[in-house]
Structures are given as structure tokens and as C-alpha cells.
Amino acid sequence: MDKFDYDLFVIGAGSGGVRAARMASSFGARVAITEDRYLGGTCVNVGCVPKKLLVYASHFAEDFENSRGFGWKVGSTDFNWQQLIKNKNTEIERLNGVYEKILSGAGVELIEGHGSLVDEHTVAVDGKNYSAERILIATGGWPSIPDIPGKEHVISSNEVFFLEKLPEKVIIAGGGYIAVEFAGIFNGLGVDTTLLYRGPLFLRGFDEDVRKFLAEEMRKKGINLKFETIIDSIEKTDNQLQATLTDGSTLTADQILYATGRKPKTEGIGIESLGIKLDKAAAIVVNDEYQTNIPSIYAVGDVTNRVNLTPVALAEGMFLARRLYNNETSPVDYENIPTCVFSQPNIGTVGLTEEEARDKYDQIDIYKSSFMPMKHTLSGADEKTFMKLIVDKATDRVIGVHMVGPDAGEIMQGIGIAMKAGASKSDFDKTIGIHPTTAEEFVTMREPVD
Ligand code: NDP
């Protein structure tokens, strides 16, 4: 008889947990997974997927406008938020079902309920104990909202996808991925949108040229960007919210969205009682093989607060299953992870920023280009695209690629492969462009800037 009920018990059916569970099962392990909220985790339910659908929805306003220059006469348009949310919910429910099928098809047992650790080999789900040789914690993250007076009136990315009514006026607090993405979504849908960021320029950590360029483009679209200030307190007055800012001014809105980061979801799962080591940000500390200080307990994804992106959690979950149940050792490569901010226009980026490259390399060449994309020669829109290559002069290796413009995420995926393959600037130069595209600019930039 087996010593344990399962070989692997996974807590959390988000991107990392589901991938690890089904891969482990495909290698012959006996696997169970528990989830108390929704299958697919943040990405599928209140993250990447619904966000992208909302970005598509919001872009139509501009598309209708832009079509006129191409001879279209667009009749009166009308947007129905409730319809969008209903359709989005139907799609998400479909995906929840797909996840359920994927798990059952892979032979993983799904145990619905709240899982918490009892000891190093036991998880309790709603009062019933399950034993496993190994336990994987993949509980993800949760929006983090600073303690300010009136905090109870704000929403986070958990609620924004389910608003019953589209606000007329919105304030977004924060200057990261979620803040700029939702500023674009609300503004596109015709909402009077203000984004507040505490520092001098949002998107800290991204290339400075990119940050400045995006700020300019967002302002051109009518988004009110206010930097060096943030909300001090919020009061509810009738149907409005009044925010008093740290610069003393006040702003009113009917919704205030806080996008001030996410914290690892480590509470309420018995981590403290087992003495699992957490870092200062309350993230689970793991070694290179995602093992915690308790040898039978592992963790992957946002709960470890390394690189909080879905594809990274997938890669970590996959590595763990291969390592434990298929004897494979090739580790996750965290170098040159391409990423996209679905702002309007998009940011696509891979590799080092200019600031990082200057710190790391003796001499670098910078290639930059900003131009009006062909589409806007007729659309009449005043939107520009920006592209930038950073090259290590000594080796000719391309060490950073950045873009602000439509489909930057799509373009950057291919560039990410080139970077992984160690492409040099002369490889970029030797590549024949696809004409006429925006992306061809990446292979035709000849002269470095001073
Ligand atoms: P981010 O960490 O990207 O940004 C948080 C923002 O909030 C920063 O501008 C930060 O400022 C600010 N902030 C933090 N604490 C406070 C505070 N107490 N008061 C005021 N401002 C504060 O978090 P997000 O919530 O935007 O997104 C969470 C994570 O989810 C991202 O890091 C990303 O990994 C992931 N994500 C990825 C997406 C994608 O791939 N397209 C889309 C959405 C999310 P400062 O910079 O000064 O610290």
C-alpha cells in the first residue's frame, strides 16, 4: 500500500499550480489539486485574460474614429458596459470549464475547497486531511492597498472586472502595469480618467525613454497623468468619492481603482505553523528547485514574488514537474524575459533598459526611432511609435529592445527569440525586413544616436 494518498498535492489552481499538477500527472505521479476560488487563478479570472478583452473593447472608439480617413462613414455608436461584462464572464466561465477538463483529462483529482497545511505531508481541505509525499504551494498573489482613511471606498483589480456600471469619472492610484493598462481601458471607453503616481514618472524599472514616450502618448489621448502625488484620504459624498491628494488638491470620481502592487498570498494556509521561511515581502523563500526550507514543500509563481508573470509561473510549474517526476534538470532561464504592458499604445520590451546597460557595460550603442506609423497617415490620429535597440559595443550583442506602439507585445515575442539566440546587431542588420510593417524598423536602424 502507498504510504501517502498522493505523490503531489497542489494548493492553488492558477497558472503555476495547474501546469505543475497536470505535467506531474502526465509523468505518472498521483496528483491532487485544491482551489477555493476559481480555476485558472488571477490570470484567467481577474488578470491577463479579462484585461486583454477589455483592452480590445476600449480600442474600438479609436478604430471608429480612425476609419473615417479611410473613407468609412461610421454611424452613431453606443457602448454597453453590462453587455461587455456579461460576454466577458461567459468567456471566463468557458475557460474555467476548460481548466477543469484539462485537469480531469490529465488524471488530476480536483478537490474544491480551502486547503491549508497540517504538517509537512498533510493538507486539510474543509476539515478533511489528505497526505502527500510532496506539497506544492501555488496560491499566487493578492492586490495590496495601502492603509489610508477611506480605503473601504476603493476597488482593486479584483472588483474592477465586475463593476455593475461604467464610471463617468475614475481615479487610478499607482504607476505600474495595472494602473497604466486600466487608464487606457477606461479612457478608451470614454471615462474621464486620472492616473496618480507618487514618483516623478510612472513605470519605474522600464526604460526611461519608453516611460516618457508612453506618458506623452497617454496625455495626447486625454488621460490626466498626475505625478509626484497620491491619495492622502478619501471621503464619500452622496454618490461621489472625494480624494484629497498629498499635494493638498482634491479630486472627485465615482470609482477609485487602487493598483499599487500585489502581495504574495501566504495567509491562512498554515505557513506560519510549519515555520516555512518567508522574506520581507512575505513571499515564500525557495531554492533554485522551488523547494522551501521544509524539504517536502515547494512553491512556484507569484507566491514566491520573483518575476510575477503568468508565463514565468507556467515555466516554474513545468520545471518542477519535470525535475521531480521525469528526471529533467534544465532550469528556468530568467534572462531576457520579454514582457508587454497592454497600455494604449502597448509597451513591448526585452533585455536591459538603457540605464541598466550603462551600469553593466563599458560602452553601448543606442539606436532609436520614433515615427508616425503608416496607418495614421490617413487615419489622422496623432499617435507615434517608438523603437529602441541597445547594443554592447564590444561584442555587438543586442542587449535591450524596447518599443511603444500598436502590437508591441506581438512583435517583441519574436525579438525575444532572437535575444535568446544571442543575436548581434549585425544579425538584425542582415535580416530582411517585412515591408511595409512597423517591425521592419528594428532591422533598418543604421546609425547610433550620440
Ligand atoms: P506594480 O508592482 O507593477 O506597480 C505598483 C505601482 O504602485 C508602482 O507604481 C508603485 O510605485 C505603486 N505603489 C506601490 N505601493 C504604493 C503605495 N503605498 N502608495 C502609492 N503607490 C504605491 O503592480 P501592479 O499592481 O500594477 O501589478 C502587479 C503585478 O502584476 C506586476 O508587477 C506584474 O508583474 C503583474 N502584471 C503583469 C501584466 C502584464 O504582463 N501585462 C499586467 C498586469 C499585472 P513605485 O514604482 O514608486 O514603487
Side-chain angles (χ1 to χ4, degrees), residues 2 17 29 79-80 119 125 166 235 298 352 407 418 421 435 447:
D2 289 307
F79 172 70
N80 184 330
D119 63 40
V125 182
L166 181 67
E235 269 179 66
Y298 296 76
L352 302 182
D407 298 322
H435 188 70
E447 290 302 318

Side-chain angles (χ1 to χ4, degrees), residues 51 146 175-178 181 197-198 204 259-261 308-309 340:
K51 178 272 310 291
Y177 280 84
I178 298 179
E181 290 178 346
Y197 173 58
R198 62 181 174 184
R204 187 167 59 83
T260 43
N308 298 332
L309 297 172
C340 173

